[in-house]
Amino acid sequence: MSFAERLKKARIDKALSQSELGKAVGVHYTQIGRYENKGSQPSADVLSKIADALDTSTDFLMYGSREELAGGIGDKELVNQFKRITNLPDDKKMIVKELLDAFLFKNEVQQKLVS
């Protein structure tokens, strides 16, 4: 889901018109329409005001939920492991990435041999 889609959904979920959201954040309603339909991006200040008005975070509006960032991974245990990995020091993260790459490469080679 894009920024524009998340913004529009959050605004509708909050039962606000573009005009009402615009007044709440100090921009014209047509600008809200540009954010939702034309691909315009708000300044950091306006984005913060929009997030406050919609009771959400700027991170959610810009990047979506953790599940969206994880590429729609349906396995909750795997998502939780990835969340824990993000707290590791960079050198440890690199080791995990190398292990994953090696495992995935091995699996792909095995699949090709079987085919």
Side-chain angles (χ1 to χ4, degrees), residues 26-64:
V27 299
H28 198 269
Y29 75 92
T30 57
Q31 188 61 42
I32 300 297
R34 287 184 193 109
Y35 298 148
E36 291 182 357
N37 302 310
K38 306 281 187 200
S40 294
Q41 298 286 318
S43 67
D45 182 51
V46 172
L47 178 64
S48 179
K49 290 176 183 177
I50 290 171
D52 287 345
L54 297 175
D55 293 324
T56 191
S57 69
T58 57
D59 282 347
F60 171 77
L61 289 173
M62 292 304 293
Y63 308 110

Side-chain angles (χ1 to χ4, degrees), residues 3-115:
F3 164 75
E5 294 166 325
R6 283 188 295 276
L7 172 60
K8 187 172 187 175
K9 182 178 181 335
R11 178 182 59 76
I12 290 169
D13 289 348
K14 194 77 173 159
L16 292 173
S17 67
Q18 289 180 344
S19 181
E20 291 168 325
L21 180 58
K23 286 178 187 173
V25 300
V27 299
H28 198 269
Y29 75 92
T30 57
Q31 188 61 42
I32 300 297
R34 287 184 193 109
Y35 298 148
E36 291 182 357
N37 302 310
K38 306 281 187 200
S40 294
Q41 298 286 318
S43 67
D45 182 51
V46 172
L47 178 64
S48 179
K49 290 176 183 177
I50 290 171
D52 287 345
L54 297 175
D55 293 324
T56 191
S57 69
T58 57
D59 282 347
F60 171 77
L61 289 173
M62 292 304 293
Y63 308 110
S65 66
R66 286 191 182 265
E67 287 73 26
E68 287 177 297
L69 289 174
I73 297 172
D75 185 326
K76 298 283 186 196
E77 184 179 0
L78 193 54
V79 170
N80 287 332
Q81 288 174 326
F82 282 125
K83 287 178 187 177
R84 290 174 44 209
I85 290 167
T86 62
N87 295 323
L88 293 174
D90 287 341
D91 61 325
K92 302 286 186 192
K93 286 182 198 176
M94 185 56 71
I95 292 170
V96 172
K97 290 176 186 178
E98 289 172 0
L99 288 169
L100 282 171
D101 281 340
F103 177 81
L104 294 170
F105 177 75
K106 180 182 175 187
N107 187 58
E108 290 166 4
V109 168
Q110 287 175 338
Q111 291 298 319
K112 287 181 182 179
L113 292 174
V114 171
S115 299

